[in-house]
């Protein structure tokens, strides 16, 4: 059983991670400072560096943790869909909750941009995206896709990412209207 001190440390660490996630959406990856995170989390600035070696380390940990939860949930819930049509429709419906300017969308966009300059972030995001594509490929194979499931999963994931960027530029874009072409692409070599 963890000590009361260890539990308080975990609670503080979680507050720092949550503060970092919120601030990235508000001021951008490069705009987040130790003082801002500490103020948002309700702690002294030195506490940030007690838990993380730098603001960059905090941002990477927070962003990758957020991305892992989001992609794992999408992959798990996609796997529950009985067919390709239902899966595509469900995923586009889920993604329609994101406007492109909401905190989650902004965090993901900022992470992708920051990963072009931060090798550690790029490597960790690559792991997340690779795992998600593997989940999609397994889902496709289980639903009768006979072609190159890994390639189809990669194109599908990239299309979804691109659609989310388009949605940020055009909030009126109805992602659910785009299900037909995506379904056709994925079913092209399927038995289902």
């Amino acid at each position: 059983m963890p000590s009361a001190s260890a539990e308080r440390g975990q609670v503080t660490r979680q507050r720092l991670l949550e503060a970092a996630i919120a601030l990235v959406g508000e001021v951008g990856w490069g705009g987040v400072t130790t003082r801002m995170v500490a103020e948002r989390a309700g702690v002294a600035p030195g506490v940030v560096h007690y838990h993380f070696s730098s603001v960059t380390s905090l941002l990477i940990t927070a962003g990758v943790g957020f991305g892992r939860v989001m992609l794992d949930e999408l992959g798990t819930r996609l796997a529950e869909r009985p067919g390709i049509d239902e899966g595509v429709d469900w995923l586009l419906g889920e993604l329609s909750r994101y406007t492109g300017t909401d905190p989650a969308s902004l965090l993901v966009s900022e992470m992708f941009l920051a990963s072009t300059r931060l090798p550690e972030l790029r490597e960790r995001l690559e792991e997340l995206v690779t795992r998600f594509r593997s989940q999609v490929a397994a889902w496709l194979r289980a639903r009768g896709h006979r072609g190159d499931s890994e390639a189809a999963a990669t194109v599908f994931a990239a299309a979804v990412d691109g659609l989310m960027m388009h949605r940020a530029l055009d909030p009126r874009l109805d992602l659910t209207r785009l299900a037909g072409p995506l379904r056709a692409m994925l079913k092209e070599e399927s038995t289902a």
Side-chain angles (χ1 to χ4, degrees):
M1 182 168 164
S3 69
S5 176
E7 286 182 23
R8 280 192 308 275
Q10 283 300 103
V11 168
T12 299
R13 182 178 170 85
Q14 187 59 39
R15 286 193 352 235
L16 293 170
L17 293 168
E18 290 169 4
I21 288 169
L23 286 166
V24 168
E26 294 171 19
V27 300
W29 188 277
V32 177
T33 66
T34 300
R35 185 167 303 287
M36 292 168 76
V37 172
E39 185 176 298
R40 179 67 58 96
V43 299
V47 173
V48 175
H49 293 290
Y50 174 79
H51 288 278
F52 298 95
S53 62
S54 65
V55 172
T56 300
S57 174
L58 167 60
L59 293 174
I60 289 172
T61 302
V64 170
F66 179 88
R68 178 178 295 111
V69 168
M70 183 175 72
L71 289 178
D72 283 351
E73 181 180 339
L74 286 175
T76 298
R77 293 187 60 203
L78 180 65
E80 297 168 354
R81 304 302 170 238
I84 291 174
D85 288 353
E86 295 87 356
V88 169
D89 291 347
W90 172 82
L91 186 59
L92 290 176
E94 275 299 295
L95 295 176
S96 290
R97 296 183 307 141
Y98 300 103
T99 63
T101 57
D102 62 277
S105 296
L106 293 171
L107 175 63
V108 171
S109 296
E110 289 283 336
M111 277 196 304
F112 274 120
L113 181 59
S115 74
T116 65
R117 295 180 304 278
L118 299 169
E120 179 187 353
L121 178 59
R122 182 174 45 254
E123 291 168 13
R124 293 184 63 194
L125 289 178
E126 178 188 6
E127 291 170 12
L128 295 182
V129 170
T130 299
R131 187 169 71 225
F132 178 71
R133 290 191 319 235
S134 293
Q135 289 175 305
V136 173
W139 173 74
L140 287 170
R141 282 190 300 276
R143 274 126 195 102
H145 192 274
R146 292 179 295 174
D148 185 342
S149 297
E150 285 77 19
T154 299
V155 170
F156 181 62
V160 167
D161 288 342
L163 290 173
M164 294 310 296
M165 289 193 323
H166 280 253
R167 180 141 164 122
L169 298 173
D170 180 3
R172 296 175 315 267
L173 181 62
D174 180 3
L175 297 180
T176 60
R177 286 188 48 234
L178 307 173
L182 288 174
R183 277 191 244 123
M185 175 191 75
L186 294 175
K187 288 181 73 172
E188 197 168 281
E189 299 177 7
S190 299
T191 58

